[in-house]
Amino acid sequence: MEPYATHDYDVVVIGAGGAGLRAAIEARQAGLRTALVCKSLLGKAHTVMAEGGIAAALGNVWPEDNWRVHFRDTMRGGKLLNNWRMVQLFAQEAPERVLELEEWGAAFDRTPDGLILQRDFGGHRYARLAHVGDRTGLEMIRTLQFRAVHLGVDVFMEVTVQRLLTDAGRVAGAFGYRRGDGGFVLFRAPAVILATGGFGKVWKYTSMSWESTGDGVLLALEAGADLIDMEFVQFHPTGMVWPPSARGILVTEGVRGDGGVLRNREGRRFMFDYIPEFFRAETAETEEEADRWYTDKKHNRRPPELLPRDEVTRAIYYEVKAGRGSPHGGVYLDIASRRPAEYIKARLPSMYHQFKELAGVDITREPMEVYPTCHYAMGGVRVDADSAASTLPGLFAAGEIAGGLHGANRLGGNSLSDLLVFGRRAGLYAAQYVQALRNHPQVALDQVAEAARDLLRPFEGPGGENPYALQAELQETMQELVGIFRTGDELRQALDRIAVLGERLQRVRVEGGREFNPAWHLALDLRAMLRTAEAVTLAALERRESRGGHSRLDYPQADPEWGKVNVVVRLRNGRLELERVPLPPLPDELRAILEERG
Amino acid sequence: MALTEVKTDAVAAAPGGRTRTVHLRVWRGTAAGGEFRDYTVEVDENAVVLDALHRLQATQAPDLAVRWNCKAGRCGSCSAEVNGRPRLTCMTRLSSLPPDRPVVVAPMKTFPVIKDLVPDVSFNYEVAKTMPVFRPGPKGPDGRYRMTQAEVSRIQEFHKCIECWLCQNVCHVIRDHQENLRHFAGPRFFVRLAALDMHPLDTNPREELARFARDRAGVGFCNITKCCTEVCPEDIHITDNAIIPIKERVVDERYDPLLWLWRKVTGAR
Ligand SMILES: Cc1cc2nc3c(=O)[nH]c(=O)nc-3n(C[C@H](O)[C@H](O)[C@H](O)COP(=O)(O)OP(=O)(O)OC[C@H]3O[C@@H](n4cnc5c(N)ncnc54)[C@H](O)[C@@H]3O)c2cc1C
Ligand code: SF4
Ligand code: SF4
Ligand code: FES
């Protein structure tokens, strides 16, 4: 068979975004031999793009803030479908994790008395997001990257893991290829942490990079682990719409947090027309009250522009559909008329730059045009709340690829703190798992041989199909049929088309050699994209209600019965199976927090 | 696989709006050798160079090797030389280039090529391993660190670095003398050293940082040509704000080792 390099580790972390880096740091600090594998160069993972900030109840700006309020906001933002234990750990530990970043060198913006400054974001009762202008993710990834390298984590850059290896129902390692020279790599390790991020690339208009193809979804499914909440996909309300080549690139929620408002072509602040009953008591009724809120949170309620993302996204969709959109089919996001130019440039330098360079728009003088863009996967690998362990022994998952924390919808800023809290936990419990092992799993050579054959298959197809075209067709399909609003009929159509694309993928024959060949890489990534698309669509078909990031035109209401279950997806005998599992019961003391006035 | 047989409609269709025809001259090859090849692609009127490369990949050159991630100037992956100028291809609008000449795209010249537009930048990651680490002092009595925005702003300029390696690519100390790689870290790492040196919480002895800058990072090789500053897509004032203060520090530490102590005690700069 094909030659391959072999590496032995205690813990292999797949993914070098915030979650993977934090996990690797923890495992390494526990003294274990730790490898970190990623598809791009180190420091380029999606986390680098995060803009607005990290949500943590530090209480630096509003001393009233604490983990209980953060718990309540997160549960309500997730439409109560969240795993309560994850939310509790998350809200309690996030401040410590942010302070730890500072101890490792991060330089957050400051309050007048020298503490970490926090900004407003949708769904958060208090200004809660620690940030560095609008490039918080860059600060976070560099800080973690420097620390991981210093601690002696071995980094395997531009290596794609294609398959997890198992031994009698336990993880035994991972197999993949080096993108640079096309050589194969075997990692032997009793514990693997999946930190592969999201899967936005399955949609056409997305804020995500080529990496976000759902590899973690496929790896977990094929190894036998469960997924959860796959139907919940977040379309961020504000992506760029124009020029077409920039469509989908994110416009941070920080614009609204810092005072920006949404208007339709008539100039109306339309969000006041879309305040749902669930949030009415905590949302401002008039523009005056909304504007006062920025400086006096005690006596005023939040502007409707800062409702959770799913609400704002649906409102924009309706405005455009009703013919009140902007020239390029979006709505206006206006901060120019509301804040001084200097303030905008200081608070949102990257946004200023991005619009100037890509659209020729000066956001200190003109409004931006925006429309929802696919942004975040709430669903992912089903994990144990405390240990981040998946349902497969030895396999852990953290970050965007893990499901459960965010329920039906994620609040802005809650991802970056998720990466830190559960990245650390995954590293810690993976280390404990390895240290407690009595007999080590063995890698089966027939699995390795099979994985190697699969990797070469795209060179051997009969031809006549182009992987780039297949990807584009899948993205169109998902955008059109599994987008912001869904119906049973369209979801079934999507499943048919996904199946056809799967057959066509078998025909692909890649030209050229194995050295850095993107067509080959894409043909392989497409397997993950198709499985991910199928899992999302099946789960969306199953959930016959509308809630958070899942809206069904044929079932437009939230259904209390569906509010009691999560949908689990697993692969059995080559087919995806669904199961409805009851939410874990919420303890009384936490229920009491939910009922506190917000 | 002949192109005519392949279904490319979905990718060949321009995403909307007016389109422009672009003549690209792209370097194709590997470490073993290569050549410039000419292509013509149809892209959206406002497209950037990276869009044109992607269109080329999707329709005519499926194995064209290109790095990218964010397409918004934030990750520093897509660096290349466009018409001889090192830049981020995702932030270079085609409309900003002369329309009557082909757009020439080549990999960064200083680093060994892997394939097409993808260079081997591992040298930089090796240097990174040798850098001194941040050592904060003790926290305040409430368990918190305090810094002013003014102090933080100084290092935030350096923290903007997206590690695009364009400055490393243009610096002639590396570009013209590959043998310098062993004792010259390059402008990106002077930025990193300056960030550490000016971090208000860092307690590394300053003379050690200065010694590192001189002996390991080789700041003395830099003769302040400012080429690095000119290409930095993040507008970091690499020479004025990072390199010159480091050079001054090295000079101070060298000729007056007590100066540092005195400053430390009196707080003078
Ligand atoms: C533009 C933008 C702005 C955002 N702003 C914010 C914000 O302000 N606040 C916030 O909380 N959240 C924000 N988010 C969301 C947040 O950034 C992401 O959810 C988060 O960074 C995901 O981190 P991660 O560690 O899970 O994965 P990622 O950072 O996506 O990293 C995934 C890693 O896995 C690797 N990988 C994937 N597949 C494989 C494979 N097969 N083999 C090997 N390696 C693999 C990749 O190479 C990569 O290193 C934003 C997102 C976007 C797109
Ligand atoms: S100023 Fe110094 S570091 Fe910058 S390019 Fe010139 S010689 Fe190199
Ligand atoms: S200093 Fe500027 S040019 Fe150099 S790597 Fe950083 S961002 Fe790029
Ligand atoms: S693709 Fe990220 S900087 Fe160009």
Side-chain angles (χ1 to χ4, degrees):
Chain A
M1 74 167 278
E2 286 292 321
Y4 54 86
T6 304
H7 303 281
D8 288 305
Y9 283 97
D10 299 316
V11 177
V12 171
V13 182
I14 307 176
L21 281 162
R22 188 61 190 83
I25 288 170
E26 200 65 20
R28 184 71 198 129
Q29 278 174 346
L32 298 195
R33 294 173 304 164
T34 307
L36 183 63
V37 190
C38 54
K39 295 207 282 189
S40 289
L41 296 171
L42 186 60
K44 312 296 181 195
H46 203 74
T47 299
V48 80
M49 291 164 69
E51 296 167 354
I54 312 181
L58 292 160
N60 289 356
V61 175
W62 294 90
E64 295 85 343
D65 200 13
N66 58 52
W67 78 264
R68 299 164 65 89
V69 192
H70 196 183
F71 174 86
R72 177 183 181 279
D73 291 346
T74 303
M75 290 293 294
R76 284 176 64 82
K79 302 291 169 359
L80 309 182
L81 218 59
N82 327 51
N83 176 318
W84 63 263
R85 175 68 181 155
M86 286 179 89
V87 182
Q88 181 186 25
L89 291 168
F90 163 76
Q92 288 174 339
E93 294 177 4
E96 237 174 287
R97 297 282 81 77
V98 172
L99 293 174
E100 185 176 72
L101 282 186
E102 192 169 54
E103 228 174 294
W104 296 343
F108 293 104
D109 287 352
R110 315 309 291 181
T111 63
D113 48 355
L115 295 170
I116 295 174
L117 181 61
Q118 300 182 270
R119 70 153 45 114
D120 285 308
F121 244 51
H124 293 283
R125 172 132 177 76
Y126 297 109
R128 187 178 280 148
L129 271 71
H131 60 276
V132 182
D134 54 5
R135 42 171 198 84
T136 312
L138 173 64
E139 190 73 12
M140 175 160 158
I141 207 161
R142 273 308 166 264
T143 305
L144 294 172
Q145 172 186 343
F146 292 172
R147 176 138 189 108
V149 168
H150 170 67
L151 288 171
V153 170
D154 289 343
V155 184
F156 293 82
M157 293 191 249
E158 299 196 313
V159 170
T160 303
V161 171
Q162 191 69 13
R163 171 163 175 162
L164 297 178
L165 307 168
T166 53
D167 175 19
R170 294 185 302 170
V171 160
F175 192 79
Y177 60 95
R178 290 188 297 265
R179 286 159 46 80
D181 65 3
F184 293 165
V185 194
L186 166 66
F187 295 97
R188 290 192 295 215
V192 171
I193 299 174
L194 280 179
T196 52
F199 41 79
K201 213 53 201 170
V202 173
W203 283 265
K204 182 170 175 190
Y205 298 123
T206 175
S207 60
M208 304 181 82
S209 83
W210 69 270
E211 295 199 305
S212 307
T213 46
D215 300 10
V217 169
L218 182 69
L219 291 170
L221 281 174
E222 289 188 342
D226 288 1
L227 309 178
I228 196 167
D229 292 343
M230 291 298 286
E231 64 275 34
F232 297 109
V233 175
Q234 180 168 82
F235 289 82
H236 190 292
T238 59
M240 290 177 78
V241 269
W242 191 89
S245 54
R247 176 137 190 185
I249 295 179
L250 194 76
V251 182
T252 176
E253 188 166 326
V255 176
R256 283 170 286 139
D258 288 346
V261 296
L262 292 164
R263 299 187 200 278
N264 62 21
R265 73 177 331 146
E266 293 148 16
R268 181 176 168 77
R269 260 178 91 171
F270 59 84
M271 279 310 300
F272 285 96
D273 308 336
Y274 294 95
I275 303 169
E277 212 38 58
F278 190 71
F279 291 108
R280 195 167 292 282
E282 58 202 76
T283 310
E285 262 165 64
T286 63
E287 294 195 18
E288 293 70 33
E289 182 183 359
D291 288 347
R292 284 195 306 266
W293 175 85
Y294 286 97
T295 47
D296 177 5
K297 294 195 169 50
K298 278 218 190 94
H299 304 100
N300 298 288
R301 291 167 297 173
R302 209 172 19 234
E305 282 86 0
L306 290 178
L307 281 164
R309 290 176 176 170
D310 51 327
E311 309 290 352
V312 184
T313 288
R314 279 188 293 266
I316 295 175
Y317 173 93
Y318 284 127
E319 279 301 299
V320 173
K321 193 138 186 145
R324 293 189 291 270
S326 64
H328 301 103
V331 295
Y332 293 111
L333 173 59
D334 168 28
I335 192 165
S337 76
R338 297 182 41 93
R339 295 287 184 267
E342 284 322 305
Y343 176 89
I344 298 170
K345 283 191 207 165
R347 304 281 298 171
L348 303 161
S350 306
M351 284 303 110
Y352 175 74
H353 193 65
Q354 177 175 314
F355 272 88
K356 192 114 203 163
E357 298 289 323
L358 297 177
V361 167
D362 178 350
I363 68 167
T364 67
R365 302 160 136 262
E366 303 160 74
M368 300 161 244
E369 273 187 80
V370 294
Y371 192 75
T373 180
C374 182
H375 183 62
Y376 188 86
M378 270 69 76
V381 177
R382 184 185 183 193
V383 290
D384 170 61
D386 286 76
S387 67
S390 76
T391 53
L392 177 76
L395 183 65
F396 299 77
E400 191 169 339
I401 187 58
L405 171 63
H406 305 290
N409 170 57
R410 172 180 73 93
L411 294 186
N414 271 1
S415 171
L416 293 185
S417 28
D418 169 10
L419 309 183
L420 297 172
V421 169
F422 293 102
R424 172 183 157 274
R425 283 182 164 269
L428 186 68
Y429 285 91
Q432 286 183 8
Y433 171 86
V434 173
Q435 282 156 345
L437 270 184
R438 313 189 112 242
N439 58 337
H440 275 241
Q442 298 302 313
V443 166
L445 287 180
D446 56 331
Q447 283 184 18
V448 173
E450 195 185 314
R453 269 197 307 277
D454 284 347
L455 278 172
L456 293 177
R457 208 149 274 157
F459 289 108
E460 293 151 7
E465 293 287 355
N466 171 345
Y468 297 95
L470 293 179
Q471 172 176 252
E473 286 182 44
L474 174 64
Q475 290 167 336
E476 296 276 358
T477 298
M478 294 302 282
Q479 191 73 30
E480 205 183 306
L481 303 176
V482 197
I484 303 172
F485 284 94
R486 301 151 177 188
T487 67
D489 281 349
E490 290 187 341
L491 292 168
R492 277 183 288 271
Q493 273 181 48
L495 285 174
D496 292 343
R497 289 207 213 162
I498 294 166
V500 171
L501 288 169
E503 285 159 25
R504 288 172 56 193
L505 179 60
Q506 308 297 320
R507 305 188 57 81
V508 163
R509 182 189 185 88
V510 171
E511 298 289 297
R514 278 164 61 175
E515 276 178 326
F516 216 111
N517 186 339
W520 179 36
H521 304 162
L522 180 58
L524 294 170
D525 288 348
L526 270 165
R527 289 184 53 234
M529 295 180 81
L530 287 167
R531 260 299 184 224
T532 304
E534 186 189 354
V536 169
T537 311
L538 275 174
L541 194 56
E542 177 79 352
R543 182 172 286 275
R544 290 182 204 91
E545 66 154 355
S546 292
R547 182 184 299 266
H550 171 66
S551 302
R552 290 274 304 251
L553 287 173
D554 43 357
Y555 298 94
Q557 304 300 325
D559 175 342
E561 287 309 307
W562 275 106
K564 295 179 191 157
V565 292
N566 296 114
V567 175
V568 162
V569 183
R570 58 176 72 93
L571 188 68
R572 290 292 178 266
N573 305 315
R575 296 177 65 89
L576 293 181
E577 290 177 1
L578 300 176
E579 188 194 346
R580 297 179 200 176
V581 298
L583 294 180
L586 183 67
D588 289 340
E589 71 270 22
L590 294 178
R591 185 177 305 280
I593 298 180
L594 289 184
E595 279 149 22
E596 283 165 18
R597 197 195 102 63
Chain B
M1 176 175 76
L3 269 165
T4 43
E5 295 166 15
V6 179
K7 297 184 184 65
T8 53
D9 349 340
V11 282
R18 296 226 300 263
T19 61
R20 65 161 63 222
T21 305
V22 189
H23 299 286
L24 288 168
R25 183 164 293 165
V26 183
W27 195 86
R28 303 294 313 268
T30 62
E35 69 200 359
F36 282 97
R37 282 195 219 150
D38 288 306
Y39 303 92
T40 304
V41 289
E42 210 43 44
V43 291
D44 171 66
E45 194 182 17
N46 295 285
V48 293
V49 172
L50 184 62
D51 290 320
L53 295 171
H54 280 157
R55 182 57 45 80
L56 175 59
Q57 210 180 36
T59 55
Q60 301 170 45
D63 63 340
L64 172 69
V66 186
R67 280 198 185 105
W68 72 284
N69 277 288
C70 68
K71 221 173 119 13
R74 290 165 169 272
C75 72
S77 302
C78 64
S79 309
E81 304 199 357
V82 180
N83 290 350
R85 263 196 69 194
R87 36 202 321 181
L88 299 179
T89 57
C90 76
M91 295 304 274
T92 306
R93 283 221 261 174
L94 290 160
S95 59
S96 70
L97 304 171
D100 47 337
R101 282 193 278 130
V103 176
V104 183
V105 193
M108 284 191 286
K109 193 167 152 193
T110 299
F111 308 109
V113 71
I114 295 176
K115 186 174 157 222
D116 303 338
L117 302 176
V118 173
D120 175 359
V121 290
S122 54
F123 155 71
N124 300 292
Y125 294 91
E126 290 307 315
V127 175
K129 288 184 193 163
T130 68
M131 294 300 283
V133 311
F134 173 64
R135 294 187 202 287
K139 293 180 182 170
D142 58 353
R144 300 289 178 93
Y145 287 116
R146 279 185 173 64
M147 297 182 259
T148 65
Q149 183 60 47
E151 288 173 315
V152 159
S153 296
R154 279 180 83 198
I155 59 171
Q156 282 178 338
E157 177 188 2
F158 304 136
H159 287 205
K160 284 195 302 185
C161 170
I162 56 175
E163 301 204 324
C164 64
W165 314 123
L166 286 171
C167 57
Q168 303 286 92
N169 174 53
V170 290
C171 177
H172 65 99
V173 178
I174 310 177
R175 202 168 171 113
D176 305 338
H177 301 279
Q178 296 285 325
E179 69 277 11
N180 283 339
L181 285 180
R182 273 174 293 123
H183 36 253
F184 182 72
R188 184 314 172 230
F189 294 96
F190 300 142
V191 168
R192 216 179 129 173
L193 272 175
L196 183 62
D197 189 75
M198 295 179 202
H199 197 305
L201 302 178
D202 183 59
T203 62
N204 278 294
R206 267 31 199 172
E207 75 275 19
E208 273 178 29
L209 292 184
R211 206 174 306 132
F212 182 90
R214 188 189 64 203
D215 300 341
R216 300 288 300 280
V219 73
F221 282 91
C222 162
N223 48 5
I224 322 192
T225 57
K226 296 203 180 187
C227 314
C228 50
T229 306
E230 270 163 39
V231 295
C232 178
E234 286 296 313
D235 289 327
I236 301 172
H237 296 271
I238 304 176
T239 16
D240 291 352
N241 293 352
I243 296 179
I244 292 175
I246 294 179
K247 279 178 171 284
E248 282 171 356
R249 166 85 74 199
V250 168
V251 170
D252 292 352
E253 302 300 348
R254 192 182 223 165
Y255 297 111
D256 193 356
L258 287 178
L259 187 67
W260 171 78
L261 193 65
W262 179 77
R263 278 180 178 160
K264 185 97 185 155
V265 174
T266 62
R269 277 228 153 250

